[in-house]
């Protein structure tokens, strides 16, 4: 098992919005810097347990970002993921100039209503053979 040193996007595997975001990130991440794991997976559960993240992520069940050293939540997770994509997307890290409470109001509004607005899946996505190395168990 990995020592969790790679950048990993943790996402709600049954949420259509989260799965759609993962699909977009897989396309945008030309250098394959990001790995992905659904929050329902054993991999994510092991990461959360081994790094004692349970308290820090309490109540967050949509998208999180493990940068290899620390966990980023809510709008910070989104901004950090954009930074890892590089290129034009790195510019979005300027979003940090907006105070976190304001950014998180929008994040929380979307996260709270994502099932109602975008629906859910019966199960987490299964990776294609070419994505197996990037989508973690």
């Amino acid at each position: 098992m990995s020592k969790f040193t790679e950048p990993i996007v943790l996402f709600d595997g049954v949420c259509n919005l989260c799965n759609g975001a993962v699909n977009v990130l897989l396309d945008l991440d030309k250098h394959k810097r990001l790995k992905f794991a659904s929050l329902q997976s054993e991999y994510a559960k092991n990461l959360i347990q081994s790094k004692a993240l349970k308290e820090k992520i309490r109540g967050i069940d949509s998208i999180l970002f493990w940068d290899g050293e620390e966990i980023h939540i809510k709008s910070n997770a989104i901004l950090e993921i954009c930074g890892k994509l590089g290129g034009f997307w790195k510019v979005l890290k300027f979003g940090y100039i907006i105070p976190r409470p304001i950014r998180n109001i929008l994040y929380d509004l979307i996260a709270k209503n994502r099932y109602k607005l975008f629906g859910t899946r019966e199960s987490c996505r299964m990776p294609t053979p070419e994505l197996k190395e990037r989508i973690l168990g």
Side-chain angles (χ1 to χ4, degrees), residues 80-96:
E80 290 298 319
I81 291 167
C82 289
K84 281 291 181 200
L85 291 173
F88 164 79
W89 299 103
K90 202 169 190 173
V91 168
L92 294 179
K93 284 191 77 170
F94 280 114
Y96 275 114

Side-chain angles (χ1 to χ4, degrees), residues 3 18 27 45 52 126:
K3 295 188 191 305
C18 299
D27 289 341
K45 291 174 187 173
M126 296 301 295

Side-chain angles (χ1 to χ4, degrees), residues 113-128:
N113 294 295
R114 70 188 188 276
Y115 291 158
K116 188 177 355 171
L117 295 171
F118 299 96
T120 61
R121 300 169 174 239
E122 290 296 315
S123 60
C124 300
R125 80 184 268 159
M126 296 301 295
T128 60

Side-chain angles (χ1 to χ4, degrees), residues 33-101:
R33 293 179 178 125
L34 299 171
K35 304 282 186 188
F36 301 86
S38 78
L39 286 164
Q40 294 82 2
S41 72
E42 287 304 312
Y43 189 92
K45 291 174 187 173
N46 289 335
L47 168 62
I48 290 164
Q49 182 178 340
S50 73
K51 300 297 181 180
L53 301 174
K54 208 166 200 90
E55 277 303 308
K56 184 158 185 180
I57 67 169
R58 184 177 303 281
I60 313 287
D61 62 357
S62 50
I63 291 185
L64 306 155
F65 181 61
W66 172 254
D67 68 8
E69 295 180 13
E70 69 177 291
I71 195 79
H72 301 275
I73 61 173
K74 298 190 178 193
S75 62
N76 284 5
I78 304 303
L79 296 175
E80 290 298 319
I81 291 167
C82 289
K84 281 291 181 200
L85 291 173
F88 164 79
W89 299 103
K90 202 169 190 173
V91 168
L92 294 179
K93 284 191 77 170
F94 280 114
Y96 275 114
I97 64 173
I98 300 168
R100 184 174 39 198

